[in-house]
Amino acid sequence: AQKITQTQPGMFVQEKEAVTLDCTYDTSDPSYGLFWYKQPSSGEMIFLIYQGSYDQQNATEGRYSLNFQKARKSANLVISASQLGDSAMYFCAMREANSGGGADGLTFGKGTHLIIQP
Amino acid sequence: ETGVTQTPRHLVMGMTNKKSLKCEQHLGHNAMYWYKQSAKKPLELMFVYSLEERVENNSVPSRFSPECPNSSHLFLHLHTLQPEDSALYLCASSPGQGVEAFFGQGTRLTVV
């Protein structure tokens, strides 16, 4: 079973509109972290926002916010007032606390290709 | 700039060649990672190094050989690769557990 599911392979959005990118996850670990990354065409992965499983409030970073619904195992990324420069691939990822070892890799979803149209 | 630098940015190699990918970070991070990103597939974790020791090897073929000589440098040695190994190879580092990883810009590898 997939640990991270992103159901939107691609999205077209008008500039200045808000965007919601879906992410659901699967884990039995009570302690985990959820991440969103942006990957522009240049290839590098840019960290956007982090949500810990025990955080009471939804994470926010500038125009980015994470709609964390723990019971539904959902961690959607919301981008407010989208800009042309937001066009990129967006990846949801998870790190489980008990996946073994002192430093654990992230498990990524397949990504959503977001295109902002003028 | 995330502080993680990968070289080369692009690499084309034949199936009989031997090449190495290099990753460097001066962020003081203890953990470094190699990921493979193939077309239309999620990023796949290949190797994890923590304090210069390998802690995870996700059944990666032996034609990929990592090396971590110190906490700032990570290499991926490549030999006798296959065309299906063509992908974007991303290096990342993190201070440790439970925090975000910082990625390099990747090496676009093409095996011909």
Side-chain angles (χ1 to χ4, degrees), chain B residues 15-31:
Chain B
M15 289 189 283
T16 58
N17 291 160
K18 286 186 180 181
K19 296 286 183 183
S20 295
L21 309 185
K22 180 182 176 182
C23 177
E24 188 172 352
Q25 60 92 7
H26 295 287
L27 301 169
H29 290 172
N30 294 326

Side-chain angles (χ1 to χ4, degrees), chain A residues 46-62:
Chain A
I46 302 168
F47 166 73
L48 296 178
I49 197 166
Y50 166 80
Q51 180 86 42
S53 58
Y54 293 117
D55 293 343
Q56 295 295 314
Q57 293 188 323
N58 287 345
T60 59
E61 288 285 348

Side-chain angles (χ1 to χ4, degrees), chain A residues 19-88:
Chain A
V19 182
T20 298
L21 304 180
D22 296 340
C23 173
T24 57
Y25 58 93
D26 182 26
T27 181
S28 56
D29 196 325
S31 179
Y32 53 90
L34 297 160
F35 304 80
W36 276 93
Y37 284 86
K38 172 184 178 181
Q39 186 181 39
S41 56
S42 58
E44 66 180 299
M45 299 288 281
I46 302 168
F47 166 73
L48 296 178
I49 197 166
Y50 166 80
Q51 180 86 42
S53 58
Y54 293 117
D55 293 343
Q56 295 295 314
Q57 293 188 323
N58 287 345
T60 59
E61 288 285 348
R63 293 187 299 114
Y64 304 108
S65 61
L66 202 150
N67 184 2
F68 182 44
Q69 299 187 44
K70 194 170 182 177
R72 298 174 64 180
K73 295 188 175 178
S74 167
N76 296 342
L77 176 70
V78 180
I79 307 174
S80 63
S82 59
Q83 302 171 358
L84 296 178
D86 294 333
S87 295

Side-chain angles (χ1 to χ4, degrees), chain A residues 35 37 39 41-47 50 89 91 95-110, chain B residues 1-2 9 31 33 35 37 40-43 45 48 50 55-56 88 90 94 96-105:
Chain A
F35 304 80
Y37 284 86
Q39 186 181 39
S41 56
S42 58
E44 66 180 299
M45 299 288 281
I46 302 168
F47 166 73
Y50 166 80
M89 286 291 294
F91 293 92
R95 176 183 281 123
E96 296 163 286
N98 293 323
S99 61
D104 307 318
L106 297 169
T107 302
F108 284 83
K110 291 186 177 181
Chain B
E1 285 288 334
T2 63
R9 292 292 309 279
Y33 312 80
Y35 285 87
Q37 186 178 27
K40 300 181 181 179
K41 291 176 70 175
L43 273 78
L45 178 63
V48 179
S50 178
V55 297
E56 188 170 345
L88 180 68
L90 289 159
S94 71
Q97 193 173 11
V99 294
E100 70 269 22
F102 293 83
F103 284 80
Q105 291 185 304

